[in-house]
């Protein structure tokens, strides 16, 4: 196998950066608005895919790329592209090969190398139905770089839920939610296709089912586990390049879990070595937190969700954060009230939020603010930001697709956006 990738020209996601900011997205739009760029399952056969779980990436020409976990020509999910003029294209439909040996159900965000090849994971499928790491060439040719769960008892890992990141040497790093010693792994994939498990989780004090990773300049990997740990409520961990594992923080270390618990999303890292992330639960109001972990191990809750009436500030954040050049944090919550949420579960709609450096949290947009949730519902993936401060993301449901609650959307939130907390 030839070298896996060359990221010398561009690195869009997962290279140890805290934020993504690239070239302009040139389609015309009104200031201060949320725009649905695509509603999934726009055809009755859902060949365009449905239910995107991961976030997006953007190339330097303004094209967006992402994955859907379901739908597609073979119902194995898709890799898709949206051009600046709004044209939607399926780049690859998974489960195109017998027994889905090409993989199925991608749930993480892809990455792109300098020549435009995309890399990612599928949760299932592959030679052993344990998931894959794949490469997608510009001409649409898909190559499985690695199939999980081919070793006894899946000791090489199984069911990767997150995408991969790349180190300075071109090696890929990622996590599996199962396999190893039974509770997931951190792995490295070399250019020759050899996989090495750097750490296997035991579901004890080390945690289980690790999230996506972030990499520092020294080659250390950082992530979270939603459960396990000293208090059984999740960890922040570090794995060195040679596989040394360390728990940096165990959640629910404070009374009534005021420090948060169930950190399901990955982390971001700033230039001073501080880690930032979210917990889906815990905090002062039990609906999740934004937190910071300093290099000395001190955890600080920056924000407690559902601190405003009816959780109009959001609740249950499930995606990684991003940070802009001024240090402001942006993210999504799965729940939170929009204008049209009252005819459904009142916490079901979700928000895009900003946490400013002065400590102020603002709900920039509340989903299900349009009839029948045509603007989207329940964002699960992380955001990206372009050079004009437009935010882009996906929602798991909503939109105008043919599913009962909609099949998900790709959306843009434009500059000049105003708080919709009054919805």
């Amino acid at each position: 196998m030839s070298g896996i990738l060359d990221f010398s020209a561009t690195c869009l996601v997962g290279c140890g950066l805290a934020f993504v900011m690239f070239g302009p997205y040139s389609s015309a739009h009104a200031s201060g608005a949320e725009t649905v760029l695509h509603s999934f399952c726009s055809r009755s056969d859902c060949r365009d895919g449905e239910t995107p779980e991961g976030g997006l990436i953007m190339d330097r020409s303004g094209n967006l790329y992402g994955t859907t976990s379901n739908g597609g020509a073979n119902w194995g999910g898709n890799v898709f592209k949206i051009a600046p003029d709004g044209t939607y294209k399926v780049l690859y439909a998974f489960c195109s090969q017998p027994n889905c040996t090409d993989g199925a159900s991608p749930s993480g965000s892809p990455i792109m190398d300098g020549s435009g090849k995309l890399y990612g994971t599928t949760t299932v499928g592959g030679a052993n139905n344990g998931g894959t790491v794949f490469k997608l060439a510009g001409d649409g040719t898909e190559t499985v770089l690695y199939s999980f769960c081919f070793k006894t008892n899946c000791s090489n890992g199984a069911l990767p839920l997150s995408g991969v990141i790349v180190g300075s040497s071109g090696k890929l790093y990622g996590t599996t939610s199962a396999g190893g010693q039974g509770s997931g792994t951190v792995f490295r994939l070399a250019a020759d296709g050899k996989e090495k498990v750097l750490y296997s989780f035991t579901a004890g004090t080390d945690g289980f089912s690790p999230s996506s990773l972030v990499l520092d300049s020294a080659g250390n990997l950082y992530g979270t586990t939603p459960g396990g740990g000293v208090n059984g409520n999740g960890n922040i961990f570090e794995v060195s390049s040679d596989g040394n594992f360390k728990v940096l923080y165990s959640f629910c270390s404070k009374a009534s879990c005021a420090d948060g618990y169930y950190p399901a999303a990955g982390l971001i890292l700033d230039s001073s070595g501080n880690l930032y992330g979210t917990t889906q639960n815990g905090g002062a109001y039990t609906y999740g937190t934004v937190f910071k972990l300093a290099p000395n191990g001190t955890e600080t809750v920056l924000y407690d969700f559902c601190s405003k009436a009816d959780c109009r500030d959001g609740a249950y954040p499930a995606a990684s954060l991003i940070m802009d050049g001024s240090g402001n944090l942006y993210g999504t919550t799965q729940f939170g009230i929009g204008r049209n949420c009252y005819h459904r579960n009142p916490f079901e709609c979700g928000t895009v939020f900003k946490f400013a450096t002065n400590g102020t949290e603002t709900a920039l947009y509340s989903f299900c603010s349009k009839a029948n949730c045509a603007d989207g519902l329940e964002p699960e993936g992380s955001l990206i930001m372009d050079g004009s401060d437009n935010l882009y993301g996906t929602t798991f449901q909503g939109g105008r697709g043919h599913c009962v609650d909609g099949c998900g959307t790709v959306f843009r939130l434009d500059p000049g956006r105003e708080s919709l907390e009054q919805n």
Side-chain angles (χ1 to χ4, degrees):
M1 182 187 301
S2 61
I4 286 183
L5 39 135
D6 172 14
F7 278 75
S8 57
T10 184
C11 185
L12 299 188
V13 171
C15 301
L17 299 178
F19 60 92
V20 180
M21 195 175 289
F22 290 102
Y25 199 93
S26 61
S27 57
H29 54 268
S31 178
E34 188 255 15
T35 302
V36 173
L37 302 177
H38 186 75
S39 288
F40 289 99
C41 199
S42 58
R43 298 170 32 158
S44 59
D45 58 7
C46 292
R47 292 179 71 88
D48 58 328
E50 64 173 271
T51 57
E53 296 183 46
L56 304 166
I57 60 172
M58 180 184 285
D59 68 18
R60 298 187 186 279
S61 298
N63 299 295
L64 295 167
Y65 302 84
T67 62
T68 65
S69 58
N70 293 294
N74 313 292
W75 288 95
N78 287 336
V79 179
F80 65 83
K81 172 184 176 180
I82 300 179
D85 65 1
T87 302
Y88 179 91
K89 181 179 181 181
V90 173
L91 300 179
Y92 189 77
F94 287 98
C95 209
S96 294
Q97 299 175 10
N99 300 314
C100 298
T101 54
D102 55 331
S105 297
S107 62
S109 305
I111 59 174
M112 180 180 283
D113 69 12
S115 63
K117 298 182 182 69
L118 294 166
Y119 300 80
T121 63
T122 63
T123 302
V124 293
N128 313 286
N129 202 33
T132 70
V133 177
F134 69 85
K135 175 178 72 175
L136 186 64
D139 63 359
T141 301
E142 191 250 16
T143 303
V144 172
L145 301 175
Y146 191 77
S147 289
F148 290 97
C149 203
F150 78 86
K151 294 186 178 180
T152 304
N153 298 322
C154 299
S155 60
N156 62 321
L159 310 183
L161 296 176
S162 302
V164 290
I165 63 173
V166 63
S168 58
S169 62
K171 295 182 176 70
L172 296 173
Y173 296 87
T175 62
T176 64
S177 63
Q181 295 189 57
S183 299
T185 69
V186 174
F187 69 85
R188 180 179 69 211
L189 187 64
D192 60 2
K194 291 183 179 179
E195 188 241 22
K196 179 177 176 60
V197 173
L198 297 177
Y199 188 77
S200 293
F201 290 86
T202 67
T205 57
D206 57 344
F208 59 81
S209 298
S211 67
S212 58
L213 300 171
V214 65
L215 183 70
D216 70 15
S217 58
N220 299 303
L221 298 158
Y222 301 89
T224 62
T225 64
V230 173
N231 308 299
N233 290 283
N235 283 334
I236 300 172
F237 66 85
E238 173 189 324
V239 178
S240 67
S241 57
D242 55 4
N244 289 323
F245 177 88
K246 181 191 302 182
V247 173
L248 301 179
Y249 189 79
S250 289
F251 287 94
C252 205
S253 294
K254 298 179 181 179
S256 302
C257 297
D259 54 333
Y261 71 92
Y262 198 76
L267 303 166
I268 61 172
L269 180 68
D270 71 14
S271 59
S272 298
N274 299 295
L275 293 164
Y276 299 84
T278 60
T279 64
Q280 277 197 269
N281 298 94
Y285 306 97
T286 74
Y287 289 96
T289 70
V290 175
F291 67 83
K292 170 185 172 182
L293 187 71
N296 65 3
T298 301
E299 191 250 16
T300 304
V301 172
L302 301 176
Y303 189 75
D304 294 291
F305 285 99
C306 205
S307 62
K308 299 180 181 178
D310 297 325
C311 295
R312 292 175 187 272
D313 53 331
Y316 303 131
S320 302
L321 301 167
I322 63 171
M323 181 183 285
D324 68 18
S326 299
N328 302 299
L329 297 168
Y330 301 82
T332 60
T333 64
Q334 285 185 287
F335 302 129
I337 290 181
R339 288 190 182 93
N340 294 287
C341 268
Y342 290 103
H343 72 284
R344 31 192 334 129
N345 182 335
F347 295 108
E348 194 177 43
C349 290
T351 70
V352 175
F353 69 86
K354 173 183 178 181
F355 181 79
T357 54
N358 65 3
T360 302
E361 191 261 9
T362 304
L364 300 175
Y365 191 78
S366 294
F367 289 97
C368 205
S369 291
K370 298 179 181 178
N372 299 316
C373 299
D375 54 332
L377 176 67
E378 288 190 43
E380 294 190 3
S382 58
L383 301 168
I384 60 172
M385 180 184 285
D386 69 14
S388 300
D389 293 341
N390 300 299
L391 293 166
Y392 301 82
T394 61
T395 64
F396 184 72
Q397 295 187 89
R400 299 184 182 276
H402 291 270
C403 306
V404 173
D405 287 318
C407 307
T409 70
V410 175
F411 68 86
R412 177 184 63 232
L413 191 61
D414 301 333
R417 46 195 177 269
E418 299 175 356
S419 169
L420 296 183
E421 291 172 1
Q422 71 273 14
N423 288 347

